[in-house]
Amino acid sequence: MTQNIKGFSKLTKEEKIDWITQAYFTNPAEAKTVITQYWNNDDELQKLHDEFIENTLTNFYLPYGVAPNFLINGKSYTIPMAIEESSVVAAASKAAKFWSERGGFKTTIINTEKIGQVHFLFDGEPNELETFFNCIKPKFWIDTDNFTKNMQKRGGGIVNIELINKTNELENYYQLHASFNTKDSMGANFINTCLEQFAKTLENEAQQYAPFQENNHSVQVVMSILSNYVPNCLVRVEVACPVDNMSDDKSIDGKEFAEKFATAVKIAEIEPYRAVTHNKGIMNGIDAVVIATGNDFRAVEAGVHAFAGKKGQYSSLSHVSIANGIFTFWMDIPLALGTIGGLTALHPLVKFSLEMLGKPSAEELMQIVAAAGLAQNFAAVRSLTTTGIQKGHMKMHIMNILNQHHATKEEKQQVLEYFKDTTISHSLVVDYLENLRK
Ligand code: MEV
């Protein structure tokens, strides 16, 4: 049965919880306890979280862990990660340690360009619009001057604005395609504010432009919005070492491992089914740091996957080469991140993360996040091509199974001891626990 309510957002938090628990739960009192036990005891802190979004009922926790021993461009970092998946932090830490003993991660910022577009319709000839655009172009800078001043002081601002003709794909459709430098902020609000002013300027100027009046032409703005596709907000991350040094385990030969690893990456380059999962492993590392540093992981996800498909077929973001006995593993990844603005000065844990990282600039954060992504990818592909993924994964997941079955401290110890060196599966763990309890 659908339950509808009018004026829900006007209710107090308690009233909202009462309505929800009574409308949807067989045991409203128990449901209320579930939701209210996550409230923070500190009223100020709770209020802060309440006001992040509309209709807040409670907080939804994610574990916040750290992966130490990341050596990036010769500097050592402990990286914060907010993620629920059992094995991710352990895998990142392991890969970080492995590469810190082999020179660490090398990263380079390739570019930091952000993009925004005004999408509009024009019913005249393309060359008439072009003449008009060239004549009014400086007005876009003049009309946005009052809110771009601060960004300009920081060395950023509107970099360029182009007129793009898309009429071959959609009748009368054109764009103002603008590029921005937003320095240490992610820049979404800055870009969208500029774009909305561009749209006003475009319409106003078109209304006053005599040739358009004479020919009865008009500009109709459809929408103005930044793009999360940022192929030129790009960072490169790389690790390299002699193939003989690729194994830290006597059971496998370094060269053999390097070659098998390289083949696994080549498979992800040519096979989309594998590429998606391969890149998901990269995003395990990326998203966890993006969330812990208060950035928008949906924006990052959308941009990264579009980039992975930019050649028309979805492909691996990371690549391997083995040349002259050297194994090199790298990726270029688009990351539009900020270390000022947004949640960065607001969320206490975000502030904590950024301070732990040494208050990085946006460019430095791009490099840290990229290293976390490549580390995660290395750890996953190494497991896949050696022990198989389940060994490490289930080792971490076993605690979830035990908690799900309310295992006591003693039971946990006994189960962990037993499964130290044997195959772990959900049913094997549950069977063993049940036997213990008999
Ligand atoms: C699981 O979250 C991620 C992996 O599937 C990534 C991969 O297959 O490369 C292990």
Side-chain angles (χ1 to χ4, degrees):
M1 189 178 65
T2 314
Q3 308 275 354
N4 287 328
I5 181 168
K6 270 199 185 135
F8 182 75
S9 67
K10 308 257 170 357
L11 300 180
T12 65
K13 187 160 71 172
E14 283 74 8
E15 286 167 340
K16 285 174 187 153
I17 292 174
D18 284 342
W19 182 79
I20 294 217
T21 51
Q22 269 151 32
Y24 295 106
F25 292 84
T26 43
N27 185 340
E30 189 184 84
K32 194 168 172 178
T33 307
V34 170
I35 205 108
T36 54
Q37 73 187 347
Y38 285 96
W39 284 353
N40 201 293
N41 290 333
D42 178 339
D43 290 345
E44 275 297 301
L45 192 60
Q46 187 52 56
K47 191 161 173 288
L48 181 76
H49 284 74
D50 288 351
E51 288 173 0
F52 282 148
I53 60 166
E54 175 104 329
N55 293 343
T56 309
L57 301 185
T58 191
N59 311 303
F60 190 94
Y61 291 171
L62 273 183
Y64 177 103
V66 293
N69 299 320
F70 265 89
L71 186 65
I72 306 171
N73 299 335
K75 189 170 165 188
S76 179
Y77 295 89
T78 295
I79 297 188
M81 302 181 93
I83 188 159
E84 86 301 343
E85 192 175 325
S86 318
S87 53
V88 169
V89 177
S93 307
K94 226 169 140 191
K97 184 157 179 293
F98 180 94
W99 285 108
S100 72
E101 289 156 2
R102 290 161 179 79
F105 295 82
K106 306 275 180 307
T107 57
T108 336
I109 297 293
I110 296 172
N111 203 343
T112 57
E113 179 193 76
K114 314 270 170 66
I115 297 295
Q117 298 170 318
V118 177
H119 305 270
F120 67 97
L121 303 178
F122 175 69
D123 54 6
E125 289 302 315
N127 60 350
E128 293 176 89
L129 186 66
E130 208 169 312
T131 310
F132 161 74
F133 172 74
N134 288 332
C135 155
I136 67 150
K137 195 170 169 181
K139 283 284 285 173
F140 294 121
W141 273 266
I142 296 166
D143 291 357
T144 46
D145 197 43
N146 58 342
F147 44 80
T148 57
K149 264 195 198 109
N150 278 343
M151 189 62 88
Q152 282 173 38
K153 269 191 221 142
R154 288 170 21 217
I158 305 157
V159 177
N160 194 19
I161 308 170
E162 284 176 274
L163 173 68
I164 311 272
N165 180 345
K166 288 274 184 182
T167 53
N168 281 342
E169 288 150 80
L170 185 68
E171 198 182 358
N172 295 345
Y173 170 40
Y174 295 85
Q175 301 167 347
L176 293 181
H177 183 93
S179 54
F180 300 85
N181 178 347
T182 60
K183 300 305 282 183
D184 285 331
S185 62
M186 193 272 191
N189 285 331
F190 173 77
I191 294 174
N192 287 333
T193 307
C194 288
L195 293 171
E196 288 185 6
Q197 181 56 53
F198 295 168
K200 278 189 201 140
T201 301
L202 183 73
E203 279 183 331
N204 290 344
E205 294 296 321
Q207 274 161 16
Q208 290 162 33
Y209 188 63
F212 288 175
Q213 305 315 311
E214 283 155 24
N215 298 315
N216 228 355
H217 292 326
S218 69
V219 158
Q220 189 200 345
V221 170
V222 180
M223 60 189 160
S224 313
I225 187 74
L226 96 169
S227 173
N228 292 122
Y229 185 43
V230 281
N232 292 323
C233 187
L234 205 61
V235 52
R236 173 165 300 170
V237 54
E238 176 186 309
V239 286
C241 78
V243 284
D244 295 336
N245 202 4
M246 272 296 286
S247 171
D248 59 357
D249 172 351
K250 290 195 179 57
S251 67
I252 52 168
D253 170 70
K255 185 163 176 281
E256 198 185 313
F257 165 54
E259 280 166 2
K260 198 169 175 198
F261 189 102
T263 306
V265 175
K266 295 236 163 352
I267 291 171
E269 284 171 346
I270 59 154
E271 164 54 52
Y273 279 95
R274 174 56 202 148
V276 171
T277 320
H278 179 93
N279 291 346
K280 190 272 184 185
I282 295 172
M283 300 315 288
N284 277 344
I286 303 268
D287 283 343
V289 191
V290 168
I291 293 171
T293 56
N295 277 279
D296 180 345
F297 67 95
R298 287 87 54 211
V300 169
E301 282 277 343
V304 167
H305 294 298
F307 185 77
K310 70 179 188 305
K311 290 188 181 149
Q313 175 172 302
Y314 192 90
S315 176
S316 167
L317 290 158
S318 62
H319 309 280
V320 169
S321 79
I322 300 176
N324 304 322
I326 303 291
F327 169 93
T328 308
F329 180 44
W330 82 94
M331 72 172 168
D332 290 347
I333 187 155
L335 293 169
L337 302 176
T339 54
I340 61 169
L343 280 191
T344 54
L346 211 54
H347 196 300
L349 278 174
V350 170
K351 283 202 272 185
F352 180 93
S353 296
L354 292 172
E355 188 162 348
M356 187 167 71
L357 291 172
K359 302 197 175 152
S361 64
E363 290 193 7
E364 191 177 353
L365 185 61
M366 284 167 76
Q367 302 179 63
I368 295 166
V369 171
L374 196 73
Q376 204 62 46
N377 189 213
F378 178 77
V381 177
R382 179 164 71 164
S383 295
L384 288 168
T385 54
T386 54
T387 56
I389 204 73
Q390 284 307 81
K391 189 165 176 242
H393 186 77
M394 292 309 287
K395 196 170 136 209
M396 299 305 299
H397 189 60
I398 196 167
M399 212 34 110
N400 291 345
I401 305 172
L402 291 170
N403 284 333
Q404 212 181 328
H405 289 81
H406 307 289
T408 62
K409 202 168 151 211
E410 291 69 33
E411 286 172 338
K412 280 179 184 168
Q413 263 168 5
Q414 278 175 280
V415 174
L416 291 176
E417 182 57 33
Y418 176 80
F419 283 98
K420 213 166 60 188
D421 302 310
T422 94
T423 304
I424 306 171
S425 80
H426 191 103
S427 58
L428 286 174
V429 173
V430 175
D431 287 351
Y432 187 82
L433 189 62
E434 278 170 2
N435 273 328
L436 270 185
R437 287 172 172 173
K438 268 182 198 155

